[in-house]
Amino acid sequence: MVFYGIPNSDPPPRPRISVRLVRPLAGEPELVAEVTVTQETGVTRGEMVRIYRTRGGLTDPLQAPLITTLPLPTPDEQTGRQVLIFRDVGAAQIAPSARLSAFTRYQWLAEVQGAPESGSTVPGLWSRPSDPIGLVAVPLTAPATPSFDGFGGTAVTGGSQDLTLAFSHSLDLRPTTSGSWRLEIMRAPPGEPWSLMSANEIREIPILVPDPSPDGFTPLATRFRVTLFDPLGRSAPALELVSG
């Protein structure tokens, strides 16, 4: 004969969840979402909470990746509510090193497990999942200046033939659900004023931009001014370069 316990109390009430972007603490990545789970007073006290997160739309709540399972704090003496605050940097149980991506829409939801029956150690039932809460992970500040990775092309007398400019960035600059990143480059050969060289949406990584001079020749000491714009139109500090 095998004895086992089956919870017979109702599961906890359906929890509520809210999410907001917050400034990172020391050692955290640039994008951090503060997830607050609120459990109202019910017949069964909440014991554990599971938080899920998914990109884009949500089809089946429990098919979303699980990001954490945590114990709920004791109920507040005044309100009886149990409130848990979790700082989400983008990790998940199946991808511990993952991070939130800029300008990507995410949805979060939570469910709460009831405390064991009195005198038992068998965990209680799980509540219904909360309503999902969506948020676009927009960085709180304008983007950083892109890194210049060097000039390409062939050195010839007085300059370069088929010059290219290569750039990279700490963020993924591919198109997002909020729009595309844009790179604007101004060009000024020696003794000439600035003119627009290119102002294109970034479609591929790494970023490689050719100098579109008609004959493919770029004189020595040609100046370039490079400005990166995020999908919201915010600009990074301009980067100035001189061809050698």
Side-chain angles (χ1 to χ4, degrees):
M1 182 178 293
V2 177
F3 293 92
Y4 60 95
I6 300 175
N8 54 23
S9 293
D10 291 337
R14 194 180 189 189
R16 289 184 290 110
I17 190 169
S18 63
V19 184
R20 66 186 184 115
L21 290 173
V22 293
R23 295 193 179 277
L25 300 175
E28 290 182 332
E30 181 181 10
L31 289 170
V32 181
E34 184 182 85
V35 182
T36 301
V37 179
T38 303
Q39 182 64 39
E40 298 290 346
T41 304
V43 174
T44 305
R45 180 176 62 84
E47 181 84 356
M48 302 291 292
V49 61
R50 290 195 293 219
I51 303 176
Y52 302 83
R53 182 193 62 244
T54 186
R55 284 176 179 245
L58 194 66
T59 52
D60 181 350
L62 298 186
Q63 292 300 312
L66 176 64
I67 61 176
T68 190
T69 301
L70 296 169
L72 271 173
T74 56
D76 180 87
E77 293 183 0
Q78 300 287 329
T79 64
R81 294 190 183 101
Q82 295 172 269
V83 179
L84 173 80
I85 297 176
F86 172 70
R87 295 178 69 88
D88 183 6
V89 298
Q93 288 195 353
I94 60 172
S97 62
R99 295 295 178 261
L100 297 175
S101 297
F103 301 101
T104 298
R105 180 174 177 79
Y106 294 94
Q107 293 199 82
W108 288 262
L109 65 150
E111 57 181 357
V112 170
Q113 186 179 42
E117 301 285 352
S118 178
S120 171
T121 59
V122 178
L125 299 173
W126 287 95
S127 70
R128 291 188 299 140
S130 66
D131 286 328
I133 294 295
L135 182 73
V136 176
V138 176
L140 299 177
T141 58
T145 300
S147 299
F148 176 59
D149 295 333
F151 291 108
T154 304
V156 295
T157 302
S160 299
Q161 193 70 30
D162 300 323
L163 185 76
T164 58
L165 294 80
F167 304 93
S168 59
H169 200 275
S170 59
L171 296 176
D172 185 349
L173 303 185
R174 281 180 279 247
T176 74
T177 55
S178 301
S180 296
W181 295 79
R182 185 168 59 88
L183 197 67
E184 179 183 281
I185 303 180
M186 304 293 291
R187 179 180 186 271
E192 297 184 23
W194 291 103
S195 62
L196 181 64
M197 173 177 141
S198 67
N200 299 321
E201 293 182 349
I202 298 171
R203 294 295 178 185
E204 295 182 351
I205 303 294
I207 307 166
L208 196 65
V209 183
D211 182 352
S213 56
D215 57 1
F217 176 73
T218 303
L220 287 173
T222 295
R223 293 178 294 155
F224 299 92
R225 181 180 295 152
V226 182
T227 306
L228 176 68
F229 294 87
D230 72 13
L232 298 184
R234 299 179 299 184
S235 63
L239 175 67
E240 298 211 2
L241 309 167
V242 180
S243 65

